[in-house]
Amino acid sequence: MRTTPPGPATTRRRWRRIASAATATAALLLAGLTTAAQAQTADTGTAKVTWTRSCALPRHHGEMACNALRVTGGRTAFQQQHGISARAADASSPSGYGPADLRSAYGLTSAAAGNGSGRTIAIVDAYDDPNAESDLAAYRSYYGLPACTTANGCFKKVGQTGSTISLPSADSGWAGEISLDLDMASAICPNCHILLVEAKSSSMTNLGTAVNEAVSLGAKYVSNSYGGGESSSDASYDSAYFNHPGVAITVSASDAGYGAEYPAASKYVTAVGGTRLTTSATTRGWTESVWRTSSTEGTGSGCSSYDTKPAWQTDTGCAKRMIADVSAVADPATGVSVYDTYGADGQGWATYGGTSASAPIIASVYALAGTPSTGSYPSAFPYANTSALNDVTSGSNGSCTTSYFCTARTGYDGPTGLGTPEGLGAFTG
């Protein structure tokens, strides 16, 4: 765990937010209003959508929080699209976007049907989800995806040392995150194998060890849906855990609105921002904007205070690493369907959002696109073929002194990077 003091002003603001949230929650607990303290809301056009964070916020520097948000009420974009009332929604059926929706939105329908065989996507999370395999089976069965089990060799769950027996303790919040990640990998690349590597805690050291284990076990695509404050230790974490040439490593940009997070700030990873995704009358059939609900709820972005700028990132306003590179759906109000049955939060079908959704989506697009070339850094690939991306040009995730750090525009911007997938062209190299 990191013992370094807080980093720059953005990091201090994040910890002040955490302290404020903790104080508010304590007060509401006394009033018996815990649910109200946890829930956030977003306007979907005709109804309010409420959600809660799946994982506890970090209590110490060096701890990471997952970026999964579980919808608790209201009417999602999927429900509006299909004429389903909020009152009719329950845990017995999906209330968010499914595989066909996501493939349609990102031009992946044909690739998902034919690509991915023999390729392994690794999901790195903290703690154990005892129901991971059975919940994955339920999701895939409902949507008619091929079975992915331990028995048929498609699915494997290990601890951070690679053991299939010595697993970490279970955690309900991280189990929801795990279900989200596994389901998104299945939705985008149903023919891929899935390796779940569970770290024994949410410390960067243990999660980083799990990343290394995923790579050592042969995964060429590694999804990480967690983050925390930046620190002066990040450069050492970069070299210890994320410098894996020839491996596509994706990291969620955060759900706390404008501000840089680690490990999304690592120069060796593809930092993935979040969008609001809705159907439209355009040729594409979908439209996207920056996901933002409030000043502290939305996709992360920003200029790193510590990490070196990679050579392929050419924006001129930030001398160091800029977040994000690309993006995908993350707004809970336009969220994705997930099946989870472990713990108090696991009641069956739920809708999830957060950049924990977008990170495994992008890792799976890399998997559809094929094995990265030896010695390459796949985070560079989108910069070489920007025409194969949907440029997101509207919306903001907060206030900033350099406009594109927090506001969408034509071309590169912080909240959505270069854009969202339109087929595989931006993810090959």
Side-chain angles (χ1 to χ4, degrees):
M1 294 174 65
R2 299 183 210 174
T3 57
T4 54
T10 54
T11 301
R12 291 195 296 272
R13 284 196 299 271
R14 178 176 176 83
W15 284 99
R16 283 199 296 270
R17 282 188 223 139
I18 292 170
S20 297
T23 301
T25 300
L28 287 165
L29 278 168
L30 293 174
L33 297 172
T34 308
T35 301
Q38 293 173 337
Q40 304 292 334
T41 64
D43 190 347
T44 65
T46 59
K48 294 286 186 179
V49 169
T50 60
W51 62 84
T52 185
R53 292 185 177 277
S54 291
C55 303
L57 290 169
R59 292 173 296 175
H60 307 287
H61 289 285
E63 286 183 346
M64 302 288 113
C66 76
N67 288 310
L69 305 176
R70 180 176 57 84
V71 170
T72 56
R75 195 179 186 210
T76 66
F78 174 86
Q79 291 171 307
Q80 292 182 56
Q81 180 183 339
H82 293 277
I84 303 169
S85 69
R87 185 176 300 175
D90 59 35
S92 65
S93 61
S95 54
Y97 292 138
D101 299 305
L102 297 173
R103 296 174 198 165
S104 169
Y106 297 126
L108 302 171
T109 302
S110 177
N115 296 8
S117 180
R119 300 168 192 169
T120 298
I121 302 168
I123 301 298
V124 172
D125 282 312
Y127 303 106
D128 179 41
D129 176 2
N131 297 356
E133 185 169 359
S134 59
D135 286 348
L136 176 64
Y139 179 91
R140 294 176 73 106
S141 175
Y142 181 90
Y143 286 112
L145 308 179
C148 187
T149 66
T150 301
N152 69 13
C154 174
F155 177 75
K156 186 175 184 179
K157 180 172 79 169
V158 300
Q160 68 184 55
T161 63
S163 172
T164 59
I165 300 172
S166 180
L167 299 172
S169 59
D171 182 273
S172 179
W174 280 89
E177 170 66 64
I178 288 170
S179 289
L180 168 60
D181 292 342
L182 296 178
D183 291 353
M184 290 307 95
S186 299
I188 302 300
C189 191
N191 297 320
C192 285
H193 288 188
I194 302 176
L195 169 66
L196 171 60
V197 186
E198 298 178 331
K200 65 181 180 181
S201 80
S202 61
S203 73
M204 187 64 257
T205 300
N206 285 322
L207 285 161
T209 299
V211 171
N212 287 344
E213 185 61 28
V215 176
S216 72
L217 291 174
K220 295 295 184 182
Y221 323 92
V222 183
S223 177
N224 303 270
S225 293
Y226 54 83
E230 294 190 287
S231 86
S232 57
S233 298
D234 292 347
S236 63
Y237 291 142
D238 275 359
S239 58
Y241 305 127
F242 297 106
N243 187 7
H244 293 288
V247 179
I249 301 176
T250 64
V251 178
S252 55
S254 98
D255 299 340
Y258 175 65
E261 258 195 10
Y262 190 84
S266 171
K267 64 182 179 180
Y268 297 121
V269 310
T270 299
V272 186
T275 67
R276 174 183 175 84
L277 173 71
T278 56
T279 56
S280 74
T282 61
T283 301
R284 179 188 171 195
W286 300 84
T287 187
E288 290 176 277
S289 58
V290 174
W291 164 45
R292 184 198 187 196
T293 303
S294 70
S295 60
T296 58
E297 292 289 335
T299 183
S301 72
C303 181
S304 173
S305 295
Y306 297 100
D307 275 79
T308 304
K309 197 176 196 69
W312 51 86
Q313 196 173 60
T314 58
D315 64 294
T316 58
C318 173
K320 293 187 179 295
R321 172 69 157 114
M322 189 69 194
I323 301 169
D325 296 308
V326 292
S327 51
V329 61
D331 188 342
T334 68
V336 298
S337 283
V338 172
Y339 193 83
D340 173 47
T341 62
Y342 181 72
D345 296 339
Q347 302 301 313
W349 288 104
T351 297
Y352 276 76
T355 52
S356 280
S358 55
I361 287 173
I362 296 299
S364 303
V365 176
Y366 275 113
L368 288 176
T371 304
S373 56
T374 301
S376 68
Y377 286 99
S379 51
F381 297 171
Y383 292 85
N385 194 0
T386 57
S387 63
L389 294 161
N390 301 302
D391 192 6
V392 181
T393 59
S394 64
S396 171
N397 66 345
S399 300
C400 55
T401 55
T402 304
S403 178
Y404 80 89
F405 285 12
C406 65
T407 303
R409 63 177 185 177
T410 300
Y412 180 84
D413 57 70
T416 64
L418 296 164
T420 62
E422 181 52 54
L424 305 179
F427 300 90
T428 60

